[in-house]
Amino acid sequence: MQLKEKFLVMFSMLILLFIVVVPIVFASSPFVIGEEKAGGYQYTVIKEQNSFTWKIGHQGNISTIVENMDNKEDLEHFRTAVEDVNMDIFEIILSASYFLIVVITTLIFYKKTKQIPKSSGAIIAILAGIAVYYTIENSINLNTALQDAKFYYSMLTS
C-alpha cells in the first residue's frame, strides 16, 4: 500500500470511530434542556439518564431538586412563573418605550407648530392612554408572576 492509501484507510477508520462512539457518549452524558433567569429567580433543568434534575434559585441561593411525581407539577409552575416574569419585564419595557415615543413625537410636533390641533390631541391622548394602560396591566402581571415564583420557590425549598 502506498502512503496515500494508508492515510485514507486510517482517516476512514477514525471517522467511523467518531460516528459510532460520539453518539453513545452524548446519549449517556447529562445535558441542560432548559434555563431561565428573571426577577432574581432562576432555574436550570438537566436531563440525566432517565431523570430530570432542577437547579432552582433566588438571589444566589441555589437548591438542587430531583424531579419526581410529588414535585413535578410545582417545578413546572415555578418554570412558568420565571418565564412569565421575563416576558412581563420585556412587555413593560416595550409599552413604556411606546409611551415615550408618543410623548417625544408630540413634543417635537408641538415645538415645530407651536400648537396641537384638537383632532391630533385626541389621537395623541388615545395613543398615550393605550401605552399607559398596557404598562399598568403588564406591571400587575409582573407582580403576579413574581408572587407565583416566590410561592413555588418557597414550596419547593422548604
Side-chain angles (χ1 to χ4, degrees):
M1 276 174 124
Q2 289 181 338
L3 185 61
K4 207 175 197 181
E5 290 174 344
K6 287 182 181 179
F7 177 74
L8 187 59
V9 168
M10 293 298 285
F11 184 72
S12 298
M13 288 173 50
L14 185 66
I15 295 295
L16 185 62
L17 179 72
F18 275 112
I19 290 173
V20 172
V21 172
V22 170
I24 294 169
V25 169
F26 282 131
S28 63
S29 300
F31 60 96
V32 175
I33 61 171
E35 191 171 35
E36 187 85 42
K37 290 182 181 180
Y41 293 96
Q42 66 184 45
Y43 73 87
T44 303
V45 183
I46 302 167
K47 181 165 181 13
E48 300 172 344
Q49 299 293 330
N50 296 325
S51 66
F52 295 99
T53 302
W54 291 67
K55 292 186 179 186
I56 64 170
H58 177 59
Q59 297 179 343
N61 298 327
I62 306 293
S63 299
T64 302
I65 299 171
V66 176
E67 181 179 301
N68 58 40
M69 294 306 292
D70 295 333
N71 63 12
K72 182 178 182 175
E73 195 171 312
D74 293 336
L75 287 165
E76 288 297 322
H77 285 300
F78 180 75
R79 178 188 59 80
T80 302
V82 173
E83 290 173 354
D84 287 348
V85 167
N86 196 23
M87 182 59 75
D88 290 335
I89 289 171
F90 174 74
E91 289 175 353
I92 287 171
I93 292 169
L94 195 64
S95 56
S97 298
Y98 175 69
F99 179 75
L100 286 175
I101 290 169
V102 169
V103 169
I104 291 170
T105 305
T106 303
L107 289 174
I108 291 170
F109 180 72
Y110 180 75
K111 277 190 168 189
K112 286 187 176 195
T113 62
K114 301 291 183 199
Q115 66 175 355
I116 297 179
K118 288 182 181 181
S119 60
S120 297
I123 292 171
I124 291 168
I126 290 171
L127 293 174
I130 290 170
V132 168
Y133 171 77
Y134 280 113
T135 303
I136 292 170
E137 180 183 14
N138 290 324
S139 296
I140 293 168
N141 291 342
L142 174 61
N143 186 40
T144 302
L146 284 168
Q147 294 295 325
D148 287 349
K150 179 181 178 181
F151 174 76
Y152 287 108
Y153 179 78
S154 65
M155 206 169 159
L156 289 163
T157 57
S158 59

